[in-house]
Amino acid sequence: MARSVADLQLLSETFRLIDDRPPPQEPLSLANCSFGFVKTYVWPKATPAVLEVWERAKRLLVEAGAKVEEVDLPEEFDNLGTWHRNILHMEGQSSFLGDYLTTPEQLDPWVTKHVVNDTSTTRREQLGSYDNIARLRPVIDSIASKYTVLITPSVTDEAPILEEPLRFTGDASFNLMWTVLHTPVLNVPGFSGPNGLPIGLSLVSARYHDQHLLRCGSAVAEAFSAGRQEV
């Protein structure tokens, strides 16, 4: 998390996240950009507040001169939720086994479920999930390369109002597929929901195009901030 795209650019340089073809130094003009809006299999969970932000973001980019279109991913991408879950459960089992064997009472019940494999996930399912996700990574690279960047929801709703005890900070399911696909993802704030709490959209690029993504993020953030208002 950072205060600005400039901070993230500094970090990318520090950690040598350098694109094969570094992007130009001058600011990106949205008039030369095309954006692919991707709903993904999580879309049915989007609340009316997210739907409104989705349409407003498209309008703001079009007003800035950009080309915008919605992108339907191949049906195989609908399986990413299941494949991610299989990997999460099996890797969670191995990651927390030592803690479970020594101090099980200190583990959150959600973590314990992974360790005991309460879903009965098999090694065959784990390997299949690894292989299927790996097969889709070059596919999403090819799709993303047709646009300046892809845009997708970051959250299913605005940030929740925090209450004690703090147990829930929001639904992250829109982000899971990008994690397993290994694509760079940049959340761009700029909108809010009925309670005045943030709603963001995410920019996604092909793998190892981090600098390109950050450059696009600066231009998109400027467009979003220009149209900021409560839903």
Side-chain angles (χ1 to χ4, degrees):
M1 300 192 59
R3 297 170 299 177
S4 65
V5 171
D7 284 355
L8 291 174
Q9 289 171 328
L10 177 62
L11 286 173
S12 71
E13 293 170 2
T14 301
F15 289 102
R16 304 296 193 271
L17 301 178
I18 308 300
D19 298 1
D20 285 341
R21 295 183 178 179
Q25 294 296 315
E26 65 269 14
L28 180 69
S29 171
L30 292 180
N32 299 321
C33 295
S34 62
F35 296 94
F37 276 66
V38 183
K39 292 180 176 179
T40 80
Y41 67 92
V42 188
W43 184 253
K45 299 175 69 172
T47 62
V50 172
L51 304 187
E52 201 283 335
V53 163
W54 178 261
E55 294 301 328
R56 183 153 26 114
K58 288 194 290 186
R59 186 176 68 251
L60 289 170
L61 292 173
V62 169
E63 290 174 353
K67 296 179 180 179
V68 169
E69 65 180 59
E70 292 201 7
V71 179
D72 294 322
L73 297 179
E75 290 186 6
E76 287 182 298
F77 283 82
D78 294 345
N79 298 315
L80 282 167
T82 299
W83 296 335
H84 174 274
R85 184 194 65 212
N86 291 342
I87 293 172
L88 181 68
H89 284 194
M90 298 303 281
E91 292 188 353
Q93 181 184 49
S94 57
S95 296
F96 293 100
L97 179 60
D99 297 311
Y100 178 75
L101 294 175
T102 54
T103 54
E105 71 283 354
Q106 295 185 26
L107 293 179
D108 187 279
W110 184 80
V111 174
T112 300
K113 288 181 179 181
H114 294 335
V115 179
V116 300
N117 192 14
D118 73 328
T119 59
S120 300
T121 304
T122 65
R123 292 298 186 188
R124 182 182 181 88
E125 290 172 324
Q126 181 185 14
L127 287 173
S129 299
Y130 282 137
D131 293 343
N132 284 312
I133 290 171
R135 182 166 46 81
L136 290 185
R137 287 175 184 143
V139 176
I140 196 62
D141 287 345
S142 177
I143 294 172
S145 67
K146 297 176 183 178
Y147 302 91
T148 306
V149 290
L150 301 177
I151 295 183
T152 192
S154 301
V155 290
T156 60
D157 198 1
E158 69 178 321
I161 297 175
L162 300 184
E163 298 177 352
E164 294 294 341
L166 176 60
R167 299 293 297 174
F168 181 69
T169 57
D171 187 333
S173 55
F174 267 116
N175 300 289
L176 304 182
M177 65 176 281
W178 310 112
T179 299
V180 294
L181 290 172
H182 294 174
T183 57
V185 181
L186 176 67
N187 170 260
V188 179
F191 307 102
S192 58
N195 295 315
L197 294 170
I199 297 178
L201 295 176
S202 292
L203 309 188
V204 180
S205 69
R207 291 173 295 171
Y208 299 109
H209 286 72
D210 302 74
Q211 289 182 311
H212 165 75
L213 182 66
L214 291 175
R215 181 171 181 254
C216 295
S218 294
V220 171
E222 185 175 343
F224 285 179
S225 63
R228 181 177 297 155
Q229 57 181 333
E230 290 191 359
V231 173

